[in-house]
Amino acid sequence: MAATKTEKYAVGDKLQMMCSACDTDTEHTAQTVTKLGKITSAVCDTCQTASTFKSGVKTSVSVGSKGKAAGPYDRHKKYRKGQAMMHDKFGHGEVTAVLEPQKIDVLFGDTTRRLIHAQGSAS
Ligand SMILES: [Zn+2]
């Protein structure tokens, strides 16, 4: 008889999960949990975006081998090395380097392109 181990969480517990705003795995803090210890909402420690859960189970979306969900490229958004994006013209890309506060190198297929990011965040 194999005993099923259920993980129980409490409010304030830390967990690593995918943040749709950060487009990467970040540390989250549990905001609300059920009586059974299942997380129903958690807030990203990096961007403060709240994620909600249905049935307390995080459904993982596997995209390719890395399992990263690529959000659309947004020049106002701040990117970090390793983040994935979906560009209008160039398609799926991944940030290979942050050159300057507002310039990033992004690899699309086998071509690296220089894009701007975090625009408007500095005066
Ligand atoms: Zn986040």
Side-chain angles (χ1 to χ4, degrees):
M1 294 284 273
T4 20
K5 194 187 171 189
T6 35
E7 246 184 301
K8 290 192 174 186
Y9 290 96
V11 173
D13 276 4
K14 301 283 186 181
L15 68 152
Q16 198 81 11
M17 58 172 254
M18 183 72 193
C19 172
S20 51
C22 292
D23 270 350
T24 185
D25 272 0
T26 57
E27 186 140 279
H28 284 65
T29 303
Q31 286 293 96
T32 52
V33 294
T34 67
K35 283 176 187 169
L36 297 169
K38 286 183 175 180
I39 295 172
T40 47
S41 74
V43 172
C44 172
D45 284 2
T46 308
C47 68
Q48 307 298 313
T49 296
S51 301
T52 48
F53 296 77
K54 288 245 194 275
S55 75
V57 178
K58 174 100 179 84
T59 40
S60 53
V61 188
S62 47
V63 181
S65 53
K66 286 179 180 172
K68 279 179 188 165
Y73 166 62
D74 180 353
R75 66 172 63 185
H76 300 292
K77 187 174 161 173
K78 193 171 183 182
Y79 288 93
R80 285 176 307 190
K81 193 179 173 183
Q83 271 189 272
M85 67 170 72
M86 189 57 73
H87 194 281
D88 276 359
K89 284 185 193 159
F90 312 132
H92 185 273
E94 190 173 316
V95 180
T96 54
V98 177
L99 307 165
E100 289 170 39
Q102 298 187 320
K103 278 182 192 166
I104 47 173
D105 267 353
V106 185
L107 185 68
F108 295 99
D110 53 8
T111 311
T112 298
R113 295 184 186 274
R114 198 147 293 177
L115 300 179
I116 50 172
H117 77 134
Q119 218 189 35
S121 70
S123 51

